[in-house]
Amino acid sequence: MDDDLSVRLRTSLLQGLPAEALLTDPEVTASYATDMASFCAAGTPAVVALPRTVEQVQHVLRTATALRVPVVPQGARTGLSGAANASDGCILLSLVKMDRILEINTVDRTAVVEPGVVNAVLSRAAAERGLSYPPDPSSWEQCTIGGNIGTASGGLCCVKYGVTAEYVLGLDVVLADGRLLRTGRRTAKGVAGYDLTRLFVGSEGSLGVVVQAVLALRPAPPRQLALAAEFPSAAAACAAVCAVMEAGLTPSLLELMDRTTVRAVNALGRMGLPDSTEALLLAAFDTPHAPQDLAAVGDLCTAAGATAVVPAEDEAESELLLKARRMSLTALDALRPATMIDDVCVPRSRLAQMLDGTAAIARTYDLLIGVCAHAGDGNTHPVVCFDPADEDETRRARESFDAIMELGLSLGGTITGEHGVGVLKKEWLARELGPVGMEMQRAVKHAFDPLGLLNPGKLF
């Protein structure tokens, strides 16, 4: 960005923003330039804007349109696809200061929130009213609702409760030209017109900037009880997953860790799991009859070849069992200087092929690749562990990532179940959607953002 445009941009922004809401120091703005993804390029932002009101967001977008400056919306930057990475000369529009819970309605079972509300804060506020907000990404203590909406986040509870998209009833969105669009509803039902609300969920800030959301809440469930089952192979664990789902059981959590992940967790947390464990399956139920449900799962695991089945007696024991899953990414991080977390979702019936195929890719590229999975919905997270200081290993890590993507598509899966496309998977989005699909996607983008100012370089 040339000096004249830079001066005009800052002057114009300060006409509608307080001085403290505009960051211009290059060292400070650089700290906002990326999310948590590896292998994703980021540009140099011109400024960072931190609005607190809808009107301030509108001013930022109007200024950007007038001066033809790109805008990259951001939440807490816990994403793993580069979707929040800066473009050269852009306005980084951080929504973290818009962090108010405006309403929790126990009759309608809804919450109205600003985009900067942290997921865990909303969950706890709902719990105080006897309600729950089920979506629970692994970063729920840091990630924001706006970011969750932008990337269509998932979490551990998806097998029973579904993903973020299923809880977004309505949105207030500032469009690229600064106009305010209200989509959706507050009612339990509503089918008026095209479903623009779902269109914005997962759009990664490329169609508009979410400034308010109406979210569905549910009655708070009973505390969950968990079970851990050890298996001699990933295939046996996946067979148990299929048996649980085919039996019509509805676990609140059904998670799987492969051999590499189990050993990493053992090394970090001294969990005491035997070295012979090739896969660990964790199941939990939050039903009134959880012990009986766990017993049924235990029987199915045993029939599938489990070498040990350990049901929890109470909530405290359940938390100990689930601790292993929660620490899996941290444990894999400790194996090598860097990790790249993948996100491939396949049909549950192909889960064993996905895990066995990933293990074969790890051998082919001579890398440590651990897999933890939301097994109940087929969403796998292969984690490639590598040393970025080693040029050859870094190359192999990148190539293994592509091989995992190709494997997922070949099994009838999708390149992302919950992390989004961002920069990391642009090439693979085109492969998954095909030319006609991409044409329609670009047409939608052009309808909402004809100048191409919103999060350029992402998705397409």
Side-chain angles (χ1 to χ4, degrees):
M1 178 179 289
D2 63 52
D3 291 342
D4 177 61
L5 178 56
S6 179
V7 170
R8 285 193 291 141
L9 174 63
R10 296 177 188 186
T11 301
S12 296
L13 288 172
L14 286 172
Q15 290 174 4
L17 292 175
E20 66 272 14
L22 190 66
L23 307 180
T24 59
D25 184 327
E27 290 187 7
V28 175
T29 58
S31 69
Y32 285 79
T34 63
D35 64 14
M36 296 179 69
S38 303
F39 293 118
C40 291
T44 302
V47 297
V48 175
L50 294 144
R52 291 183 179 271
T53 69
V54 173
E55 292 75 19
Q56 289 174 1
V57 174
Q58 290 180 284
H59 174 71
V60 171
L61 270 295
R62 287 176 185 136
T63 299
T65 294
L67 298 178
R68 302 299 195 264
V69 174
V71 177
V72 177
Q74 291 186 334
R77 294 182 294 111
T78 57
L80 293 163
S81 69
N85 284 12
S87 303
D88 280 332
C90 76
I91 301 169
L92 288 178
L93 180 57
S94 174
L95 285 306
V96 295
K97 299 294 186 182
M98 297 179 67
D99 59 357
R100 294 179 300 161
I101 298 174
L102 302 173
E103 178 186 339
I104 292 180
N105 188 312
T106 56
V107 175
D108 295 333
R109 295 179 183 170
T110 57
V112 182
V113 304
E114 292 183 326
V117 171
V118 171
N119 184 291
V121 172
L122 173 60
S123 296
R124 293 181 183 122
E128 290 173 0
R129 307 293 295 275
L131 297 169
S132 72
Y133 179 66
D136 61 344
S138 296
S139 58
W140 77 305
E141 292 281 6
Q142 295 86 34
C143 64
T144 61
I145 296 298
N148 294 169
I149 292 169
T151 56
S153 297
L156 301 185
C157 74
C158 293
V159 61
K160 180 174 182 178
Y161 293 106
V163 295
T164 296
E166 294 169 60
Y167 294 87
V168 182
L169 299 178
L171 296 170
D172 283 7
V173 181
V174 178
L175 300 178
D177 60 8
R179 288 179 296 164
L180 183 64
L181 170 68
R182 179 160 290 169
T183 76
R185 65 194 193 278
R186 288 182 177 231
T187 53
K189 297 189 292 185
V191 293
Y194 294 131
D195 190 351
L196 297 182
T197 302
R198 289 294 285 262
L199 187 60
F200 281 101
V201 179
S203 66
E204 302 183 19
S206 65
L207 301 180
V209 179
V210 173
V211 290
Q212 185 173 291
V214 181
L215 305 173
L217 303 177
R218 291 193 176 208
R223 296 289 185 180
Q224 64 182 1
L225 283 179
L227 166 153
E230 300 166 18
F231 289 88
S233 69
C238 293
V241 170
C242 292
V244 169
M245 302 310 294
E246 191 171 22
L249 296 166
T250 55
S252 55
L253 175 150
L254 192 59
E255 298 286 306
L256 186 150
M257 296 187 295
D258 74 345
R259 175 179 182 270
T260 299
T261 308
V262 169
R263 293 194 174 192
V265 167
N266 257 347
L268 183 67
R270 304 174 188 271
M271 301 299 292
L273 296 168
D275 287 342
S276 59
T277 301
E278 292 292 317
L280 184 71
L281 186 65
L282 299 169
F285 286 86
D286 58 7
T287 57
H289 39 81
Q292 297 96 307
D293 288 331
L294 284 180
V297 169
D299 290 342
L300 293 171
C301 288
T302 299
T307 54
V309 176
V310 183
E313 295 291 331
D314 54 31
E315 185 186 343
E317 284 190 16
S318 295
E319 283 303 310
L320 285 174
L321 291 177
L322 298 179
K323 181 181 177 182
R325 173 62 181 89
R326 293 198 181 103
M327 72 188 324
S328 59
L329 295 181
T330 303
L332 289 167
D333 276 339
L335 297 180
R336 300 291 287 157
T339 56
M340 181 168 57
I341 304 173
D342 214 328
D343 166 39
V344 181
C345 194
V346 297
R348 282 187 289 258
S349 58
R350 313 297 292 276
L351 189 59
Q353 292 166 270
M354 184 68 202
L355 266 68
D356 287 344
T358 301
I361 289 168
R363 291 191 295 272
T364 297
Y365 289 94
D366 191 22
L367 292 166
L368 274 174
I369 303 178
V371 181
C372 46
H374 308 311
D377 52 26
N379 198 170
T380 67
H381 293 306
V383 181
V384 182
C385 307
F386 67 101
D387 183 357
D390 184 327
E391 229 177 271
D392 183 64
E393 190 167 86
T394 300
R395 175 190 58 78
R396 286 183 281 122
R398 180 71 224 202
E399 290 178 3
S400 75
F401 178 90
D402 287 338
I404 292 168
M405 292 282 98
E406 189 165 2
L407 172 64
L409 288 181
S410 74
L411 295 174
T414 176
I415 60 168
T416 175
E418 56 188 12
H419 291 173
V421 174
V423 176
L424 192 61
K425 299 184 178 182
K426 288 171 59 174
E427 173 193 348
W428 289 97
L429 179 67
R431 295 196 195 188
E432 179 171 336
L433 296 184
V436 177
M438 289 297 289
E439 181 184 345
M440 293 299 101
Q441 297 267 327
R442 291 191 175 103
V444 170
K445 165 70 170 171
H446 186 265
F448 282 91
D449 180 22
L451 298 177
L453 297 179
L454 291 176
N455 216 2
K458 315 296 167 55
L459 293 170
F460 314 123

